[in-house]
Amino acid sequence: MTTNIAAAHRVILMSTPAFGVSTLNALIARGYNVVGLVTQPDKPAGRGLPVVPPPMKTAALALGVPVFQPSSLFSPEAIESLRATDPDLILVAAYGKFIPEEICQLAPLGAINLHPSLLPRWRGACPVVAAVLAGDSHTGLTVHFVVNEMDQGDILGQMAVPIGPQDTAEQLMARLGDMGGEFFLDTVEAWVAGRAVPQVQDGSQATWCDRMTKQQGEIDWQQPAVHISRQVRALTPWPGAFTWWQGRQLGIVEAWPDESWNGAEEPGRVFRLAGELAVATGAGALRLGQVQLSGKRIMSAEQFERGARGFSSALLGQRME
């Protein structure tokens, strides 16, 4: 057990996606007594598919960590089951639901969260998606206290991470998760040892991001190519950026903007640009990498074009009535 953590020998980790795996591994590696993982209930993987556990449940069971999956954290049963673990500290890494104050008060050192943005920028449910969609040059990790208002607790530490020009939200979230565990525990231990001073967030600089909807994936070809390319990267893998071709939904899985193009094709028109498939937009062109027709596998745009008559000059975005 590392000595920097003082009296916090028993830890509850609250996490659902793979983002929290590095935190769990770091806790075990440093000798913490992880008395429970709180994660969301198992859910169907898709329509008609079997129920599957969240990634964190699988990781915890493999390490012998007890798993709690309450349907509601507000129920007396959930609160009492967690109280029985007698935690000193609660750590949160993308649990995915609001955590009531009564849960936070179960641990003498309270509850501390690892958030994948540079708070107060991008408070809310999808900070990585929002950062890519907005064209931010950097995102990062913030360690802060859990309070009654989402993502508004005092900050204990931050780490900035650059966003690459081809990073998808999925890739970026995975990278932040991999970096997060050690940084999270280093910061928490520094605070417990009195080496980290909590900093109040500047609410005037706050931005907010809600959960994405399927409709937000639909491409408006009147938008600039650089915006659409960010939409493609931000919404991978869900809900996915898409358009319409011959009345069917066509996902744009990979694409790059060409802001230098200034041709006469109307927005949404597919054409050849230096021998490659591209789509005219409101400003510049979008070079197509990979696409996915509804119900089919992902393939390169060139492969798709070979089996899709007329695609190389099609006008995308038109729904059939």
Side-chain angles (χ1 to χ4, degrees), residues 7-23:
H9 300 287
R10 300 171 65 82
V11 178
I12 286 176
L13 176 62
M14 305 183 70
S15 182
T16 299
F19 177 75
V21 170
S22 72
T23 297

Side-chain angles (χ1 to χ4, degrees), residues 74-162:
F74 290 87
S75 71
E77 295 80 10
I79 294 170
E80 289 309 310
S81 65
L82 296 181
R83 190 192 308 277
T85 67
D86 191 27
D88 298 295
L89 176 67
I90 296 173
L91 300 183
V92 185
Y95 174 63
K97 290 185 177 180
F98 182 79
I99 301 172
E101 185 176 1
E102 191 169 1
I103 294 289
C104 297
Q105 291 177 344
L106 294 177
L109 291 175
I112 301 175
N113 183 50
L114 178 68
H115 183 78
S117 85
L118 295 174
L119 291 174
R121 186 161 179 81
W122 303 129
R123 294 170 175 171
C126 56
V128 174
V129 171
V132 174
L133 192 58
D136 291 356
S137 62
H138 287 74
T139 184
L141 296 163
T142 299
V143 178
H144 68 99
F145 291 106
V146 178
V147 295
N148 280 332
E149 301 295 330
M150 183 175 286
D151 302 328
Q152 295 186 33
D154 291 355
I155 292 172
L156 290 172
Q158 292 187 308
M159 174 194 291
V161 176

